Amino acid sequence: MDFTPRIYFYSAQKYDKAFFEQANAAYGFDLAFTESPLNADTARLAEGAEVICAFVNDTLDADCLRALAAAGVRTVALRCAGFNHVDLPEAKRLGLAVVSVPAYSPEAVAEHTLALILTLNRNTHRAYVRVREGDFNLKGLLGFNLNGRTVGLIGTGRIGVATARVLSGLGVELLGYDVHENPDFKALGGQYVGLDDLYARSDIISLHCPLTESNHYMINAESIARMRDGVMLVNTSRGGLIDTEAVIAALKSKKVGHLALDVYEQESDVFFRDLSDEILADDNLSRLLTFPNVLITGHQGFFTHEAMTQIAEITLRNVAAVSQSETCNNELTRRL
Ligand code: NAI
C-alpha cells in the first residue's frame, strides 16, 4: 500500500473500537472513532480522513454525502449489510466508493430470531421478572407448542435460510415467500407460496427481506387483516417493513397475538443509546412497551462475537481493496 488511509468511525461504541482494533493488527490503518452519528452536520468531523465507516442508523443522504466529499472523503465503508439508508446514486455521482458487509454470520440473526420466538411463545420474558420478585404463579404464562405449527418466512436469502435451518429441528411446517426462489430453502423442506397463502396459513411470520421502496410498510392494516387470528409477527430485518400504528391497532384488537421486534421504524432516535434517565418521546414505542405480548430488543440480532469479528475483518478488507484500486465485490457503487 502506498499510504495508510485514515478511517473515521461514526456511531462507534466501545465494542466497535475493540473489534476493529483487533482486526486492524493485520492492516495498520490509522483508526479514529467518534460516538457521534453521521449526518450532514457531523460529516465535517471526517476532515483529513480518506475513509469513513458508518453504521445502520447513520444518515447518508445526498447532503451528508456532499459534505463528506467536500471534507476529502473518498470511500464510505458500511459496517452492516443493509444499505437502504444510503443515497447510492448520489455517492456514485460524487465519485465516492461505497462498500458494505453483505454477509456475516447469518446464524447470528437466525439464532436471535429463534430466541425471540421461543421467548414470546413461552412468556419467558414475563416469567424471568416474575420469579425474581418471588412470584411463582403460572397465570398468564400459558404457551403453545411450536411442533406442528406453520412458520412463514418473508425473504429466504442468507438469514431466511439460516432461520429455516434452526427452525427445521422443531417440527414446524416452513412456508416461504421471496422474489427469487432459493434451492437451499427447498432442501430444508420449505415450500414456496404466494404472500396471500403465507399470510393465511402461518401461525408465525418472520421478516428476512431487505427494506426497499416497494416493500415499505408491507405489514399494514390490509395485510394484517389477511393473517390468522392471533398471529405472531417477528421483525429482525428493517423497521420500515411494518406500519407501527397498524400493528398497535392489531395488538389492541388481539388480531396480532405476539410481536417481536429487533428493529423499529424510528429506531435511529432511540437504539444503541442509554435513555434510562430520560423521558421517551416516541409515543408508538412507549405504547408497544406496555403490551405483555410484545418483546423488543434494540437491534442486537448481529451482536455476537463471531459476527462482530467478521464485520471488522470484512470492512477492513473492503477498505484495503478499494484503497489499492483492486476489484472489491462488496462495492455497491460499482453495481449501479
Ligand atoms: P440476503 O440478500 O441474503 O437475502 C434477502 C432475501 O430477500 C433475498 O432472497 C431477496 O430475494 C429477498 N427479497 C428482496 N426483496 C423482497 C421482497 N420484496 N419480498 C420478499 N423477499 C424479498 O440478505 P440477508 O443477509 O438474509 O439479510 C436480510 C435482511 O436482514 C437485511 O436486508 C437486513 O435488513 C436484515 N439484517 C438485520 C440484522 C440485525 O441485526 N437485526 C443484521 C443483518 C441483516
Side-chain angles (χ1 to χ4, degrees), residues 72-108:
V73 170
R74 309 306 318 144
T75 303
V76 171
L78 303 174
R79 55 181 191 279
C80 55
F83 49 86
N84 53 287
H85 55 315
V86 187
D87 186 338
L88 286 179
E90 182 64 13
K92 175 123 180 151
R93 213 185 54 76
L94 292 164
L96 291 169
V98 181
V99 293
S100 72
V101 185
Y104 55 88
S105 187
E107 292 77 18

PDB file of all heavy atoms in Angstrom, residues 72-108:
ATOM      1  N   GLY A  72     -13.098  15.689   1.827  1.00  0.00           N
ATOM      2  CA  GLY A  72     -11.964  14.917   1.287  1.00  0.00           C
ATOM      3  C   GLY A  72     -12.128  13.410   1.387  1.00  0.00           C
ATOM      4  O   GLY A  72     -11.208  12.657   1.063  1.00  0.00           O
ATOM      5  N   VAL A  73     -13.308  12.963   1.825  1.00  0.00           N
ATOM      6  CA  VAL A  73     -13.539  11.513   1.947  1.00  0.00           C
ATOM      7  C   VAL A  73     -13.692  10.902   0.552  1.00  0.00           C
ATOM      8  O   VAL A  73     -14.314  11.495  -0.326  1.00  0.00           O
ATOM      9  CB  VAL A  73     -14.808  11.251   2.807  1.00  0.00           C
ATOM     10  CG1 VAL A  73     -15.214   9.789   2.757  1.00  0.00           C
ATOM     11  CG2 VAL A  73     -14.569  11.702   4.241  1.00  0.00           C
ATOM     12  N   ARG A  74     -13.113   9.725   0.340  1.00  0.00           N
ATOM     13  CA  ARG A  74     -13.204   9.047  -0.955  1.00  0.00           C
ATOM     14  C   ARG A  74     -14.001   7.738  -0.859  1.00  0.00           C
ATOM     15  O   ARG A  74     -14.532   7.235  -1.848  1.00  0.00           O
ATOM     16  CB  ARG A  74     -11.807   8.695  -1.528  1.00  0.00           C
ATOM     17  CG  ARG A  74     -10.795   9.813  -1.593  1.00  0.00           C
ATOM     18  CD  ARG A  74     -11.249  11.075  -2.324  1.00  0.00           C
ATOM     19  NE  ARG A  74     -11.992  10.837  -3.538  1.00  0.00           N
ATOM     20  CZ  ARG A  74     -13.009  11.593  -3.946  1.00  0.00           C
ATOM     21  NH1 ARG A  74     -13.417  12.608  -3.224  1.00  0.00           N
ATOM     22  NH2 ARG A  74     -13.629  11.310  -5.060  1.00  0.00           N
ATOM     23  N   THR A  75     -14.012   7.144   0.333  1.00  0.00           N
ATOM     24  CA  THR A  75     -14.654   5.833   0.494  1.00  0.00           C
ATOM     25  C   THR A  75     -15.592   5.838   1.707  1.00  0.00           C
ATOM     26  O   THR A  75     -15.213   6.338   2.777  1.00  0.00           O
ATOM     27  CB  THR A  75     -13.589   4.729   0.694  1.00  0.00           C
ATOM     28  OG1 THR A  75     -12.700   4.747  -0.424  1.00  0.00           O
ATOM     29  CG2 THR A  75     -14.215   3.350   0.832  1.00  0.00           C
ATOM     30  N   VAL A  76     -16.768   5.282   1.505  1.00  0.00           N
ATOM     31  CA  VAL A  76     -17.724   5.101   2.603  1.00  0.00           C
ATOM     32  C   VAL A  76     -17.795   3.600   2.866  1.00  0.00           C
ATOM     33  O   VAL A  76     -18.246   2.834   2.014  1.00  0.00           O
ATOM     34  CB  VAL A  76     -19.119   5.646   2.219  1.00  0.00           C
ATOM     35  CG1 VAL A  76     -20.156   5.251   3.259  1.00  0.00           C
ATOM     36  CG2 VAL A  76     -19.065   7.159   2.042  1.00  0.00           C
ATOM     37  N   ALA A  77     -17.337   3.185   4.041  1.00  0.00           N
ATOM     38  CA  ALA A  77     -17.357   1.755   4.384  1.00  0.00           C
ATOM     39  C   ALA A  77     -18.490   1.514   5.379  1.00  0.00           C
ATOM     40  O   ALA A  77     -18.445   2.009   6.508  1.00  0.00           O
ATOM     41  CB  ALA A  77     -16.011   1.348   4.995  1.00  0.00           C
ATOM     42  N   LEU A  78     -19.505   0.781   4.933  1.00  0.00           N
ATOM     43  CA  LEU A  78     -20.619   0.456   5.837  1.00  0.00           C
ATOM     44  C   LEU A  78     -20.241  -0.792   6.608  1.00  0.00           C
ATOM     45  O   LEU A  78     -19.846  -1.790   5.995  1.00  0.00           O
ATOM     46  CB  LEU A  78     -21.895   0.197   5.033  1.00  0.00           C
ATOM     47  CG  LEU A  78     -22.373   1.318   4.105  1.00  0.00           C
ATOM     48  CD1 LEU A  78     -23.564   0.831   3.276  1.00  0.00           C
ATOM     49  CD2 LEU A  78     -22.749   2.552   4.918  1.00  0.00           C
ATOM     50  N   ARG A  79     -20.391  -0.763   7.924  1.00  0.00           N
ATOM     51  CA  ARG A  79     -20.114  -1.982   8.699  1.00  0.00           C
ATOM     52  C   ARG A  79     -21.441  -2.700   8.999  1.00  0.00           C
ATOM     53  O   ARG A  79     -21.717  -3.106  10.125  1.00  0.00           O
ATOM     54  CB  ARG A  79     -19.307  -1.669   9.962  1.00  0.00           C
ATOM     55  CG  ARG A  79     -19.886  -0.638  10.889  1.00  0.00           C
ATOM     56  CD  ARG A  79     -18.941  -0.429  12.089  1.00  0.00           C
ATOM     57  NE  ARG A  79     -19.506   0.355  13.156  1.00  0.00           N
ATOM     58  CZ  ARG A  79     -19.570   1.683  13.191  1.00  0.00           C
ATOM     59  NH1 ARG A  79     -19.093   2.406  12.186  1.00  0.00           N
ATOM     60  NH2 ARG A  79     -20.101   2.307  14.229  1.00  0.00           N
ATOM     61  N   CYS A  80     -22.245  -2.865   7.952  1.00  0.00           N
ATOM     62  CA  CYS A  80     -23.547  -3.532   8.060  1.00  0.00           C
ATOM     63  C   CYS A  80     -23.922  -4.057   6.678  1.00  0.00           C
ATOM     64  O   CYS A  80     -23.263  -3.727   5.684  1.00  0.00           O
ATOM     65  CB  CYS A  80     -24.620  -2.562   8.563  1.00  0.00           C
ATOM     66  SG  CYS A  80     -24.788  -1.070   7.584  1.00  0.00           S
ATOM     67  N   ALA A  81     -24.982  -4.887   6.657  1.00  0.00           N
ATOM     68  CA  ALA A  81     -25.425  -5.490   5.394  1.00  0.00           C
ATOM     69  C   ALA A  81     -26.377  -4.553   4.646  1.00  0.00           C
ATOM     70  O   ALA A  81     -26.221  -4.317   3.444  1.00  0.00           O
ATOM     71  CB  ALA A  81     -26.112  -6.818   5.674  1.00  0.00           C
ATOM     72  N   GLY A  82     -27.362  -4.001   5.364  1.00  0.00           N
ATOM     73  CA  GLY A  82     -28.385  -3.164   4.723  1.00  0.00           C
ATOM     74  C   GLY A  82     -27.781  -1.846   4.244  1.00  0.00           C
ATOM     75  O   GLY A  82     -26.844  -1.325   4.845  1.00  0.00           O
ATOM     76  N   PHE A  83     -28.325  -1.306   3.141  1.00  0.00           N
ATOM     77  CA  PHE A  83     -27.824  -0.020   2.639  1.00  0.00           C
ATOM     78  C   PHE A  83     -28.976   0.889   2.204  1.00  0.00           C
ATOM     79  O   PHE A  83     -28.815   1.799   1.410  1.00  0.00           O
ATOM     80  CB  PHE A  83     -26.817  -0.227   1.493  1.00  0.00           C
ATOM     81  CG  PHE A  83     -27.292  -1.163   0.408  1.00  0.00           C
ATOM     82  CD1 PHE A  83     -28.061  -0.693  -0.637  1.00  0.00           C
ATOM     83  CD2 PHE A  83     -26.968  -2.514   0.464  1.00  0.00           C
ATOM     84  CE1 PHE A  83     -28.508  -1.545  -1.629  1.00  0.00           C
ATOM     85  CE2 PHE A  83     -27.411  -3.389  -0.529  1.00  0.00           C
ATOM     86  CZ  PHE A  83     -28.187  -2.904  -1.578  1.00  0.00           C
ATOM     87  N   ASN A  84     -30.185   0.605   2.776  1.00  0.00           N
ATOM     88  CA  ASN A  84     -31.354   1.411   2.447  1.00  0.00           C
ATOM     89  C   ASN A  84     -31.203   2.853   2.948  1.00  0.00           C
ATOM     90  O   ASN A  84     -31.957   3.737   2.561  1.00  0.00           O
ATOM     91  CB  ASN A  84     -32.619   0.771   3.050  1.00  0.00           C
ATOM     92  CG  ASN A  84     -32.487   0.507   4.531  1.00  0.00           C
ATOM     93  OD1 ASN A  84     -31.779  -0.411   4.939  1.00  0.00           O
ATOM     94  ND2 ASN A  84     -33.128   1.317   5.352  1.00  0.00           N
ATOM     95  N   HIS A  85     -30.213   3.107   3.827  1.00  0.00           N
ATOM     96  CA  HIS A  85     -30.021   4.451   4.395  1.00  0.00           C
ATOM     97  C   HIS A  85     -28.972   5.258   3.619  1.00  0.00           C
ATOM     98  O   HIS A  85     -28.541   6.314   4.092  1.00  0.00           O
ATOM     99  CB  HIS A  85     -29.624   4.342   5.867  1.00  0.00           C
ATOM    100  CG  HIS A  85     -28.407   3.494   6.140  1.00  0.00           C
ATOM    101  ND1 HIS A  85     -28.205   2.265   5.569  1.00  0.00           N
ATOM    102  CD2 HIS A  85     -27.328   3.717   6.919  1.00  0.00           C
ATOM    103  CE1 HIS A  85     -27.056   1.760   5.992  1.00  0.00           C
ATOM    104  NE2 HIS A  85     -26.503   2.625   6.802  1.00  0.00           N
ATOM    105  N   VAL A  86     -28.555   4.769   2.438  1.00  0.00           N
ATOM    106  CA  VAL A  86     -27.508   5.448   1.667  1.00  0.00           C
ATOM    107  C   VAL A  86     -28.055   5.864   0.299  1.00  0.00           C
ATOM    108  O   VAL A  86     -28.662   5.045  -0.402  1.00  0.00           O
ATOM    109  CB  VAL A  86     -26.291   4.509   1.433  1.00  0.00           C
ATOM    110  CG1 VAL A  86     -25.148   5.282   0.786  1.00  0.00           C
ATOM    111  CG2 VAL A  86     -25.833   3.875   2.735  1.00  0.00           C
ATOM    112  N   ASP A  87     -27.830   7.115  -0.080  1.00  0.00           N
ATOM    113  CA  ASP A  87     -28.219   7.573  -1.417  1.00  0.00           C
ATOM    114  C   ASP A  87     -27.100   7.152  -2.385  1.00  0.00           C
ATOM    115  O   ASP A  87     -26.172   7.918  -2.668  1.00  0.00           O
ATOM    116  CB  ASP A  87     -28.397   9.101  -1.390  1.00  0.00           C
ATOM    117  CG  ASP A  87     -28.952   9.640  -2.700  1.00  0.00           C
ATOM    118  OD1 ASP A  87     -28.811   8.955  -3.741  1.00  0.00           O
ATOM    119  OD2 ASP A  87     -29.508  10.746  -2.687  1.00  0.00           O
ATOM    120  N   LEU A  88     -27.197   5.924  -2.870  1.00  0.00           N
ATOM    121  CA  LEU A  88     -26.120   5.365  -3.704  1.00  0.00           C
ATOM    122  C   LEU A  88     -25.911   6.126  -5.023  1.00  0.00           C
ATOM    123  O   LEU A  88     -24.752   6.387  -5.393  1.00  0.00           O
ATOM    124  CB  LEU A  88     -26.372   3.880  -3.988  1.00  0.00           C
ATOM    125  CG  LEU A  88     -26.128   2.916  -2.819  1.00  0.00           C
ATOM    126  CD1 LEU A  88     -26.454   1.492  -3.251  1.00  0.00           C
ATOM    127  CD2 LEU A  88     -24.692   2.992  -2.317  1.00  0.00           C
ATOM    128  N   PRO A  89     -26.981   6.505  -5.745  1.00  0.00           N
ATOM    129  CA  PRO A  89     -26.741   7.252  -6.988  1.00  0.00           C
ATOM    130  C   PRO A  89     -25.954   8.547  -6.747  1.00  0.00           C
ATOM    131  O   PRO A  89     -25.073   8.904  -7.514  1.00  0.00           O
ATOM    132  CB  PRO A  89     -28.158   7.537  -7.507  1.00  0.00           C
ATOM    133  CG  PRO A  89     -29.007   6.463  -6.890  1.00  0.00           C
ATOM    134  CD  PRO A  89     -28.406   6.182  -5.556  1.00  0.00           C
ATOM    135  N   GLU A  90     -26.267   9.228  -5.640  1.00  0.00           N
ATOM    136  CA  GLU A  90     -25.546  10.466  -5.331  1.00  0.00           C
ATOM    137  C   GLU A  90     -24.081  10.160  -5.008  1.00  0.00           C
ATOM    138  O   GLU A  90     -23.175  10.883  -5.424  1.00  0.00           O
ATOM    139  CB  GLU A  90     -26.231  11.193  -4.155  1.00  0.00           C
ATOM    140  CG  GLU A  90     -25.604  12.513  -3.772  1.00  0.00           C
ATOM    141  CD  GLU A  90     -25.699  13.590  -4.876  1.00  0.00           C
ATOM    142  OE1 GLU A  90     -26.459  13.399  -5.831  1.00  0.00           O
ATOM    143  OE2 GLU A  90     -24.956  14.590  -4.768  1.00  0.00           O
ATOM    144  N   ALA A  91     -23.858   9.076  -4.269  1.00  0.00           N
ATOM    145  CA  ALA A  91     -22.475   8.684  -3.943  1.00  0.00           C
ATOM    146  C   ALA A  91     -21.700   8.439  -5.237  1.00  0.00           C
ATOM    147  O   ALA A  91     -20.569   8.909  -5.404  1.00  0.00           O
ATOM    148  CB  ALA A  91     -22.473   7.436  -3.069  1.00  0.00           C
ATOM    149  N   LYS A  92     -22.315   7.742  -6.153  1.00  0.00           N
ATOM    150  CA  LYS A  92     -21.655   7.428  -7.430  1.00  0.00           C
ATOM    151  C   LYS A  92     -21.337   8.732  -8.173  1.00  0.00           C
ATOM    152  O   LYS A  92     -20.252   8.922  -8.707  1.00  0.00           O
ATOM    153  CB  LYS A  92     -22.594   6.534  -8.258  1.00  0.00           C
ATOM    154  CG  LYS A  92     -22.073   6.240  -9.641  1.00  0.00           C
ATOM    155  CD  LYS A  92     -21.950   4.774  -9.870  1.00  0.00           C
ATOM    156  CE  LYS A  92     -21.424   4.487 -11.242  1.00  0.00           C
ATOM    157  NZ  LYS A  92     -20.690   3.272 -11.335  1.00  0.00           N
ATOM    158  N   ARG A  93     -22.321   9.636  -8.192  1.00  0.00           N
ATOM    159  CA  ARG A  93     -22.133  10.913  -8.893  1.00  0.00           C
ATOM    160  C   ARG A  93     -20.944  11.685  -8.311  1.00  0.00           C
ATOM    161  O   ARG A  93     -20.180  12.334  -9.011  1.00  0.00           O
ATOM    162  CB  ARG A  93     -23.423  11.736  -8.759  1.00  0.00           C
ATOM    163  CG  ARG A  93     -23.733  12.627  -9.948  1.00  0.00           C
ATOM    164  CD  ARG A  93     -24.965  13.506  -9.687  1.00  0.00           C
ATOM    165  NE  ARG A  93     -24.866  14.284  -8.466  1.00  0.00           N
ATOM    166  CZ  ARG A  93     -24.133  15.364  -8.327  1.00  0.00           C
ATOM    167  NH1 ARG A  93     -23.407  15.807  -9.318  1.00  0.00           N
ATOM    168  NH2 ARG A  93     -24.097  16.013  -7.172  1.00  0.00           N
ATOM    169  N   LEU A  94     -20.790  11.584  -6.983  1.00  0.00           N
ATOM    170  CA  LEU A  94     -19.708  12.310  -6.301  1.00  0.00           C
ATOM    171  C   LEU A  94     -18.373  11.571  -6.395  1.00  0.00           C
ATOM    172  O   LEU A  94     -17.356  12.057  -5.907  1.00  0.00           O
ATOM    173  CB  LEU A  94     -20.070  12.495  -4.818  1.00  0.00           C
ATOM    174  CG  LEU A  94     -21.244  13.435  -4.519  1.00  0.00           C
ATOM    175  CD1 LEU A  94     -21.742  13.235  -3.095  1.00  0.00           C
ATOM    176  CD2 LEU A  94     -20.800  14.886  -4.720  1.00  0.00           C
ATOM    177  N   GLY A  95     -18.396  10.374  -6.970  1.00  0.00           N
ATOM    178  CA  GLY A  95     -17.155   9.594  -7.080  1.00  0.00           C
ATOM    179  C   GLY A  95     -16.756   8.925  -5.783  1.00  0.00           C
ATOM    180  O   GLY A  95     -15.593   8.548  -5.597  1.00  0.00           O
ATOM    181  N   LEU A  96     -17.729   8.763  -4.861  1.00  0.00           N
ATOM    182  CA  LEU A  96     -17.436   8.064  -3.600  1.00  0.00           C
ATOM    183  C   LEU A  96     -17.647   6.557  -3.809  1.00  0.00           C
ATOM    184  O   LEU A  96     -18.661   6.159  -4.387  1.00  0.00           O
ATOM    185  CB  LEU A  96     -18.391   8.525  -2.490  1.00  0.00           C
ATOM    186  CG  LEU A  96     -18.228   9.949  -1.971  1.00  0.00           C
ATOM    187  CD1 LEU A  96     -19.411  10.313  -1.082  1.00  0.00           C
ATOM    188  CD2 LEU A  96     -16.933  10.070  -1.176  1.00  0.00           C
ATOM    189  N   ALA A  97     -16.722   5.762  -3.342  1.00  0.00           N
ATOM    190  CA  ALA A  97     -16.919   4.305  -3.367  1.00  0.00           C
ATOM    191  C   ALA A  97     -17.654   3.913  -2.086  1.00  0.00           C
ATOM    192  O   ALA A  97     -17.246   4.316  -0.994  1.00  0.00           O
ATOM    193  CB  ALA A  97     -15.575   3.592  -3.427  1.00  0.00           C
ATOM    194  N   VAL A  98     -18.746   3.162  -2.224  1.00  0.00           N
ATOM    195  CA  VAL A  98     -19.475   2.694  -1.037  1.00  0.00           C
ATOM    196  C   VAL A  98     -19.347   1.178  -0.961  1.00  0.00           C
ATOM    197  O   VAL A  98     -19.712   0.468  -1.901  1.00  0.00           O
ATOM    198  CB  VAL A  98     -20.971   3.088  -1.088  1.00  0.00           C
ATOM    199  CG1 VAL A  98     -21.689   2.593   0.176  1.00  0.00           C
ATOM    200  CG2 VAL A  98     -21.137   4.589  -1.238  1.00  0.00           C
ATOM    201  N   VAL A  99     -18.791   0.693   0.137  1.00  0.00           N
ATOM    202  CA  VAL A  99     -18.644  -0.755   0.331  1.00  0.00           C
ATOM    203  C   VAL A  99     -19.458  -1.178   1.552  1.00  0.00           C
ATOM    204  O   VAL A  99     -19.729  -0.372   2.440  1.00  0.00           O
ATOM    205  CB  VAL A  99     -17.154  -1.161   0.516  1.00  0.00           C
ATOM    206  CG1 VAL A  99     -16.368  -0.940  -0.761  1.00  0.00           C
ATOM    207  CG2 VAL A  99     -16.507  -0.397   1.669  1.00  0.00           C
ATOM    208  N   SER A 100     -19.860  -2.447   1.562  1.00  0.00           N
ATOM    209  CA  SER A 100     -20.661  -2.923   2.691  1.00  0.00           C
ATOM    210  C   SER A 100     -20.202  -4.335   3.075  1.00  0.00           C
ATOM    211  O   SER A 100     -19.298  -4.894   2.458  1.00  0.00           O
ATOM    212  CB  SER A 100     -22.144  -2.956   2.318  1.00  0.00           C
ATOM    213  OG  SER A 100     -22.380  -4.012   1.417  1.00  0.00           O
ATOM    214  N   VAL A 101     -20.861  -4.894   4.078  1.00  0.00           N
ATOM    215  CA  VAL A 101     -20.555  -6.266   4.523  1.00  0.00           C
ATOM    216  C   VAL A 101     -21.815  -7.096   4.275  1.00  0.00           C
ATOM    217  O   VAL A 101     -22.655  -7.237   5.153  1.00  0.00           O
ATOM    218  CB  VAL A 101     -20.178  -6.290   6.024  1.00  0.00           C
ATOM    219  CG1 VAL A 101     -19.739  -7.683   6.448  1.00  0.00           C
ATOM    220  CG2 VAL A 101     -19.093  -5.281   6.322  1.00  0.00           C
ATOM    221  N   PRO A 102     -21.990  -7.594   3.044  1.00  0.00           N
ATOM    222  CA  PRO A 102     -23.268  -8.218   2.702  1.00  0.00           C
ATOM    223  C   PRO A 102     -23.580  -9.467   3.512  1.00  0.00           C
ATOM    224  O   PRO A 102     -24.736  -9.756   3.774  1.00  0.00           O
ATOM    225  CB  PRO A 102     -23.117  -8.557   1.215  1.00  0.00           C
ATOM    226  CG  PRO A 102     -21.657  -8.559   0.945  1.00  0.00           C
ATOM    227  CD  PRO A 102     -21.033  -7.623   1.931  1.00  0.00           C
ATOM    228  N   ALA A 103     -22.540 -10.197   3.898  1.00  0.00           N
ATOM    229  CA  ALA A 103     -22.819 -11.444   4.619  1.00  0.00           C
ATOM    230  C   ALA A 103     -21.842 -11.610   5.764  1.00  0.00           C
ATOM    231  O   ALA A 103     -20.642 -11.524   5.566  1.00  0.00           O
ATOM    232  CB  ALA A 103     -22.680 -12.626   3.670  1.00  0.00           C
ATOM    233  N   TYR A 104     -22.364 -11.783   6.939  1.00  0.00           N
ATOM    234  CA  TYR A 104     -21.525 -12.109   8.085  1.00  0.00           C
ATOM    235  C   TYR A 104     -22.401 -12.914   9.008  1.00  0.00           C
ATOM    236  O   TYR A 104     -23.478 -12.495   9.368  1.00  0.00           O
ATOM    237  CB  TYR A 104     -20.998 -10.848   8.796  1.00  0.00           C
ATOM    238  CG  TYR A 104     -22.088  -9.904   9.219  1.00  0.00           C
ATOM    239  CD1 TYR A 104     -22.709 -10.046  10.455  1.00  0.00           C
ATOM    240  CD2 TYR A 104     -22.533  -8.891   8.375  1.00  0.00           C
ATOM    241  CE1 TYR A 104     -23.728  -9.202  10.841  1.00  0.00           C
ATOM    242  CE2 TYR A 104     -23.558  -8.054   8.746  1.00  0.00           C
ATOM    243  CZ  TYR A 104     -24.147  -8.212   9.986  1.00  0.00           C
ATOM    244  OH  TYR A 104     -25.179  -7.387  10.356  1.00  0.00           O
ATOM    245  N   SER A 105     -22.015 -14.076   9.321  1.00  0.00           N
ATOM    246  CA  SER A 105     -22.721 -14.901  10.278  1.00  0.00           C
ATOM    247  C   SER A 105     -24.253 -14.732  10.251  1.00  0.00           C
ATOM    248  O   SER A 105     -24.823 -14.189  11.188  1.00  0.00           O
ATOM    249  CB  SER A 105     -22.198 -14.591  11.681  1.00  0.00           C
ATOM    250  OG  SER A 105     -22.752 -15.487  12.600  1.00  0.00           O
ATOM    251  N   PRO A 106     -24.905 -15.181   9.171  1.00  0.00           N
ATOM    252  CA  PRO A 106     -26.374 -15.105   9.168  1.00  0.00           C
ATOM    253  C   PRO A 106     -26.978 -15.867  10.348  1.00  0.00           C
ATOM    254  O   PRO A 106     -28.081 -15.567  10.807  1.00  0.00           O
ATOM    255  CB  PRO A 106     -26.761 -15.754   7.837  1.00  0.00           C
ATOM    256  CG  PRO A 106     -25.548 -16.431   7.304  1.00  0.00           C
ATOM    257  CD  PRO A 106     -24.367 -15.779   7.939  1.00  0.00           C
ATOM    258  N   GLU A 107     -26.196 -16.826  10.874  1.00  0.00           N
ATOM    259  CA  GLU A 107     -26.674 -17.602  12.032  1.00  0.00           C
ATOM    260  C   GLU A 107     -26.908 -16.691  13.245  1.00  0.00           C
ATOM    261  O   GLU A 107     -27.767 -16.978  14.079  1.00  0.00           O
ATOM    262  CB  GLU A 107     -25.667 -18.695  12.420  1.00  0.00           C
ATOM    263  CG  GLU A 107     -25.524 -19.814  11.398  1.00  0.00           C
ATOM    264  CD  GLU A 107     -24.686 -19.434  10.187  1.00  0.00           C
ATOM    265  OE1 GLU A 107     -23.922 -18.439  10.271  1.00  0.00           O
ATOM    266  OE2 GLU A 107     -24.789 -20.122   9.155  1.00  0.00           O
ATOM    267  N   ALA A 108     -26.145 -15.601  13.336  1.00  0.00           N
ATOM    268  CA  ALA A 108     -26.319 -14.707  14.498  1.00  0.00           C
ATOM    269  C   ALA A 108     -27.752 -14.180  14.520  1.00  0.00           C
ATOM    270  O   ALA A 108     -28.427 -14.207  15.558  1.00  0.00           O
ATOM    271  CB  ALA A 108     -25.312 -13.555  14.427  1.00  0.00           C
TER     272      ALA A 108
END
